[in-house]
């Protein structure tokens, strides 16, 4: 075995130097090119987002189209590849067949078929085969190689898949790697499994377990490893169970310890096992030489027709480090940071400032060993050209947390990070890659490092042309794997930095995108370097709708009260905030001049007048806006001569008012225009912030503005997309409502925002008023007097009053006098009215507005905790019962029966449910009152003390329930509930919202957290986290499916009752993005369960399998569903849209089921 002591060959170094030179040359004149392109942008089809008119696509990219004769353009209307949904490259570009000249004197052709996730192996495999075929008959062992490769995503295309199956049927050797998409893994298995015994060799490197079981080298197979009790079996099985890339890590470790492990194998199996591990080493080596020897090794050992290879000597694998530091100009791959810095700091081609920012890059090892690193070289050189030092690290496995810990901390102080910002160029999650992720491990690593973490993307499932032409932008599968999953680690700014050539599969730099990545990374790094007193911050407020006096408003947020708290916090931290007004009201008046100010009116303070020549000089894309808005200054945000920027400066803080969208007066114009754009005033605002005020960061204040909804690709924008152009290079911080993760995700992906959540005010009961209140009093009177002579009179009065209040539309009221019906029927009438009154009274309304950094009042805390305590939580460890369940059990009842009877108007159970609700509230109120300070707000110190004193004195809930019917509630279970509520209260009062902002402005890592409803999912707390949605492939969860099953059965039963005992044939349902995030896919599961299909997770926990529920188990017909999807759901859950489509088709295809039991098929 040959180890290249961490050094690249001189040829590799020379190749990298050429790539660097080319990269530098292409950067010349970029600014001029951007100016010239300004007027020639193409605007594509638009779509809608919930609540806003969503982006149109402005697709324009730098690299020219590859003139490949083998490109097959399938993108016609209605084709599966229209709009760039799936790749349309032709696998024939990866087919290499020996020519007649190359086969002279040779007797055998060995056919190899491979399937890989990404294309970086294409060039080196093709080169390896050409080198083999160019050998003479003696040195080749009389063997020629035919090879053809498929990218995993290409197997979605029916024609490609049929060709793949035909190729496998005639192959000698099959190779697979990184097959982690279940539905495509199944396709691979279906094609290869029938041929497995016939194949001479089948090698599958890290992939899903089911695909790994295809492995076959002589007597060696993964199936045997899974069943054997050998040392290797136990080792591999343990690592597979650990997940998070552990399986590949295990294989790498096994390779390194091969000599000591092989002695434990039976002698007849040792050679086959050794050949598998040797093959893995060749494969991970990746170079053309390694792959050439890999193919020779397999052919020699396992292809009977290649017997002449027995005399051919095959070199051992050339081994590169599993992890290390790479640089395009370095003479070596370094395995120690000190060694790298010794070389780096003595370079003669570059000099750096003493306090230069240091950017860490995370790279994929496979790109380096296969020689496909030009895009990495371009990124390194762009950063260095901007004055930044670079530490580019790589790892051979799927877990990058180890290399981050090893190479990114100061060698002289292991507790201090050496880098100022990290940019992952892999596009994958930090731990686990495309396989099973370990987000807690990644978060812990990044928290320790504590620097901004960006995740930029190479195009994997699309060519550059496909991405350029696509209005969606990034391929949906790549969005799921390389945008959504890194967001769970806290990754920011999914900017595409490299493309893929459709002919060679090689990566190439997208220089304008690399410029964006690098300039933004350095801006984040500068936040760590710059003195606080010199930092400039722009706080942007919104005005929506623009004509309603709504300047400075946001969802559930007291904007100016919050800004005032933020300014005070900045002042305490050393920022120059000038002369602050005395109160938040004075602050608002200084910016607006009028509390009812309307946008673009004289009431707003003008902070800056930008002349048209200055605007044209600073705004490089302004010519593109003229098609819609005419020449600058246009008609919005202008006095006729200059462009006006509204707001006011307070020292180094500028409070600005974001201009309106521009289309509010004519929204249909935006919907149908193919060339929509922001107006000149909007562009001038962000031009001022970046180039005149020179903000170090912008803080968008509250939910939500319109920057992220500007025209452009949905994800993976080009420089022709307006959100990308508008935000420029400014780090974007964004306070976003915790309960709206779907639109926060749009802001995160389209305006590159670090979206920090703020707490929405708790919901409080709406209460009753006027006639409804009188009606409630009548019901109370009836309960005490129903057995007296006045009972009948009161019922008649209740009926009359209910009709006056229009309750007869919701409650069945008798048309006869109350004396003509029985007492039981009178009770039912009164119970139904009472149930409706309680329903109205308990409707939830937001309780005031939230102020950033301000702890909740006692009233707000009670409202929040009552709602949290109302839910059973079987998913917790130990499981937790809700207060209604426990209180019902205390009086010998089941809460579900109480709910059911209350719904049916049973008066006693309506009363009981009201008593349970009030007792729950009283118990929580007593608990909260122990933590209230003098100002009526919750004191975090008191909450901690209460938690520690629990059990030392009479519990507050015991006092509250003493005089009620629920005094015998299970004490142990109640203590568990209030222990959980104490934890939740601690999370609610944590001041993480202001703290997270300060961290971000210091250039530190902001811990990620889920968005959604804090009642249903208290993990949303404490707010202030870098809000993310969820893994779109992880829904619906099993808990969501269980909840959905209950809802579906209740709904169908209710519809059956309303339909005269007949099942409904069709039910309409709307799928909202935010609701599905909050409930982890509950309504998505409802659709599937209605048609009698159960979603199932695959081996990696991703929900992409379906199981038809037999009619015998279903016990009812399959209900047809009309589904209307919001724009946000459509964009965030493209993969689940596909799952939904498959579920409906599965139900419709059951031809053996009678039509009266399958309404999907019937319709």
């Amino acid at each position: 075995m040959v180890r290249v002591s961490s050094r690249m060959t001189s040829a590799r170094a020379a190749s990298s130097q050429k790539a660097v030179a080319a990269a530098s040359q292409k950067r010349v004149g970029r600014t001029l090119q951007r100016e010239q392109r300004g007027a020639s942008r193409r605007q594509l089809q638009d779509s809608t987002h919930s609540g806003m008119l969503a982006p149109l696509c402005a697709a324009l990219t730098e690299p020219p189209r590859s003139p490949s004769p083998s490109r097959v353009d399938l993108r016609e209307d209605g084709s599966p590849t229209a709009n760039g949904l799936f790749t349309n490259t032709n696998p024939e570009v990866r087919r290499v067949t020996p020519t007649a000249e190359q086969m002279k004197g040779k007797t055998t052709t060995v056919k190899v078929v491979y399937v890989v996730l990404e294309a970086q192996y294409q060039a080196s495999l093709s080169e390896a085969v050409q080198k083999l075929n160019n050998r003479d008959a003696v040195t080749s062992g009389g063997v020629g190689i035919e090879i053809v490769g498929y990218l995993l995503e290409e197997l979605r295309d029916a024609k490609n898949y049929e060709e793949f199956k035909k190729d496998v049927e005639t192959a000698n050797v099959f190779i697979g790697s990184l097959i982690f998409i279940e539905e495509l893994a199944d396709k691979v298995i279906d094609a290869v499994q029938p041929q497995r015994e016939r194949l001479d060799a089948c090698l599958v490197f890290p992939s899903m377990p089911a695909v790994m079981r295809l492995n076959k080298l002589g007597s060696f197979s993964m199936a045997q490893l899974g069943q054997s009790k050998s040392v290797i079996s136990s080792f591999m099985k343990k690592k597979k169970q650990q997940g998070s890339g552990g399986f590949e890590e295990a294989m790498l470790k096994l390779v390194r310890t091969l000599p000591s492990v092989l002695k434990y194998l039976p002698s007849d199996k040792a050679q086959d096992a050794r050949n598998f591990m040797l093959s893995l080493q060749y494969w991970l080596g990746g170079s053309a030489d390694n792959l050439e020897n890999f193919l020779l090794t397999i052919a020699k050992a396992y292809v009977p027709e290649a017997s002449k290879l027995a005399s051919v000597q095959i070199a051992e694998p050339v081994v590169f480090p599993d992890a290390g530091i790479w640089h395009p100009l370095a003479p070596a791959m370094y395995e120690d940071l000190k060694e790298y810095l010794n070389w780096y700091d003595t370079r003669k081609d570059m000099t750096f400032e003493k306090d230069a920012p240091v950017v860490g890059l995370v790279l994929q090892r496979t790109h380096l060993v296969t020689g496909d690193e030009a895009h990495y070289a371009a990124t390194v050189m762009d950063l260095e050209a901007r004055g930044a030092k670079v530490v580019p690290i790589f790892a051979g496995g799927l877990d990058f947390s180890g290399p981050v810990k090893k190479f990114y901390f100061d060698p002289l102080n292991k507790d201090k990070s050496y880098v100022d910002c990290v940019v992952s160029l892999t596009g994958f999650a930090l731990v686990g890659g495309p396989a099973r992720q370990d987000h807690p491990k990644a978060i812990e690593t990044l928290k320790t490092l504590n620097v901004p973490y960006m995740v930029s993307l190479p195009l994997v499932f699309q060519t550059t042309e496909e991405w350029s032409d696509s209005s969606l932008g990034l391929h949906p599968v790549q969005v799921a794997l390389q945008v959504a999953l890194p967001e769970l680690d806290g990754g920011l700014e999914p900017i595409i930095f490299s493309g893929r050539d459709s002919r060679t599969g090689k990566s190439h730099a997208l220089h304008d995108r690399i410029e964006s990545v690098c300039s933004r990374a350095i801006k984040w790094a500068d936040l760590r370097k710059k003195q606080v007193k010199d930092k400039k911050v722009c706080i942007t407020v919104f005005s929506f709708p623009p004509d309603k006096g709504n300047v400075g408003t946001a969802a559930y947020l007291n904007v100016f009260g919050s800004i005032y708290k933020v300014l005070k916090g900045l002042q305490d931290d050393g920022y120059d905030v000038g002369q602050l007004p005395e109160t938040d009201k004075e602050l608002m008046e200084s910016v607006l001049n009028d509390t009812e100010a309307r946008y673009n009116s004289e009431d707003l303070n003008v902070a800056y007048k930008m002349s048209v020549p200055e605007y044209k000089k600073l705004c490089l894309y302004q010519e593109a806006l003229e098609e819609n808005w005419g020449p600058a200054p246009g008609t919005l945000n202008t006095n006729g001569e200059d462009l006006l920027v509204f707001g006011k400066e307070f020292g180094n803080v500028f409070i600005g008012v974001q201009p309106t969208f521009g289309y509010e007066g004519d929204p249909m114009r935006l919907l149908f225009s193919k060339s929509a754009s922001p107006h000149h005033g909007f562009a001038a605002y962000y031009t001022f912030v970046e180039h005149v005020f020179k903000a170090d960061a912008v803080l968008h204040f509250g939910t939500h503005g319109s920057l992220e909804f500007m025209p452009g690709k949905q994800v993976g924008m080009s420089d022709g997309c307006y959100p990308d152009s508008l935000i420029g290079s400014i780090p974007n911080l964004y306070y976003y409502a915790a309960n709206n993760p779907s639109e926060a995700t749009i802001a995160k992906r389209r305006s590159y925002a670090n979206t920090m959540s703020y707490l929405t005010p708790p919901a409080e009961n709406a209460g009753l008023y006027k006639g409804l209140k009188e009606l409630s009093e009548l019901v109370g009177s009836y309960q005490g007097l129903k057995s007296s002579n006045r009972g009948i009179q009161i019922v008649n009065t209740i009926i009359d009053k209910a009709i006056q209040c229009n309750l007869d539309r919701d409650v069945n009221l008798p048309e006869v006098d109350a004396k003509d019906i029985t007492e039981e029927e009178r009770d039912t009438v009164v119970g139904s009215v009472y149930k409706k009154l309680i329903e109205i009274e308990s409707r939830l309304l937001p309780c005031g507005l939230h102020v950033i950094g301000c702890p909740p009042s006692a009233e707000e805390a009670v409202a929040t905790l009552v709602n949290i305590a109302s839910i059973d939580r079987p998913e917790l460890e130990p499981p937790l019962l809700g207060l209604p369940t426990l209180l019902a059990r205390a009086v010998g009842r089941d809460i579900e029966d109480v709910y059911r009877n209350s719904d049916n108007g049973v008066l006693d159970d309506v009363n009981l449910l009201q008593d349970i609700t009030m007792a729950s509230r009283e118990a929580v109120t007593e608990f909260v009152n122990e933590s209230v300070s003098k100002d009526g707000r919750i004191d975090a110190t008191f909450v901690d003390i209460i938690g520690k004193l629990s059990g030392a004195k009479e519990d507050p809930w015991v006092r509250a329930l003493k005089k009620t019917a629920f005094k015998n509630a299970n004490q142990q279970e109640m203590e568990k509930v209030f222990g959980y509520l104490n934890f939740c209260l601690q999370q609610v009062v944590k001041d993480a919202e202001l703290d997270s902002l300060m961290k971000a402005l210091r250039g530190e890592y902001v811990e990620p957290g889920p968005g959604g409803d804090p009642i249903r999912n208290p993990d949303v707390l404490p707010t202030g986290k870098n809000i993310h949605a969820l893994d779109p492939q992880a829904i619906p969860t099993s808990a969501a499916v269980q909840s959905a099953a209950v809802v579906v059965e209740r709904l169908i039963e209710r519809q059956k009752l309303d339909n005269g005992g007949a099942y409904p044939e069709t039910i309409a349902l709307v799928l909202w993005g935010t609701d599905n995030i909050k409930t982890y896919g509950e309504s998505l599961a409802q659709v599937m369960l209605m048609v009698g299909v159960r979603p199932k997770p695959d081996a990696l926990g991703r929900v992409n399998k379906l199981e038809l529920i037999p009619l015998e188990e279903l016990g009812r017909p399959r209900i047809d569903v009309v589904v209307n999807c919001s724009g946000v759901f459509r964009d965030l859950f493209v993969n689940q849209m596909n799952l939904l489509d498959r579920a409906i088709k599965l139900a419709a295809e059951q031809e053996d089921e009678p039509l009266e039991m399958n309404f999907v098929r019937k319709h």
Side-chain angles (χ1 to χ4, degrees), residues 589-656:
E589 289 172 349
S590 68
V591 175
L592 305 184
N593 294 335
D594 183 342
T595 55
E596 297 293 320
R598 298 185 178 189
Y599 197 84
N600 214 21
S601 73
E602 295 177 0
D603 298 324
L604 291 176
N605 189 71
V606 176
Y608 189 77
K609 295 180 180 179
M610 183 177 289
S611 68
V612 171
E614 182 184 21
Y615 168 66
K616 289 184 175 181
K617 177 184 177 183
L618 296 177
C619 184
L620 302 180
Y621 51 91
Q622 49 84 24
E623 287 185 19
L625 314 183
E626 292 184 3
E627 181 179 349
N628 286 279
W629 305 101
T635 57
L636 298 175
N637 292 61
T638 179
N639 57 11
E641 295 181 1
D642 302 315
L643 288 151
L644 305 180
V645 177
F646 296 118
K648 187 163 185 177
E649 292 184 32
F650 296 89
N652 282 339
V653 178
F654 169 60
I655 301 176

Side-chain angles (χ1 to χ4, degrees), residues 163 306 313 550 716 1047 1080 1083 1096:
E163 288 300 317
Q313 292 297 310
N550 281 345
V1047 173
Y1080 291 86
S1083 53
K1096 304 281 284 184

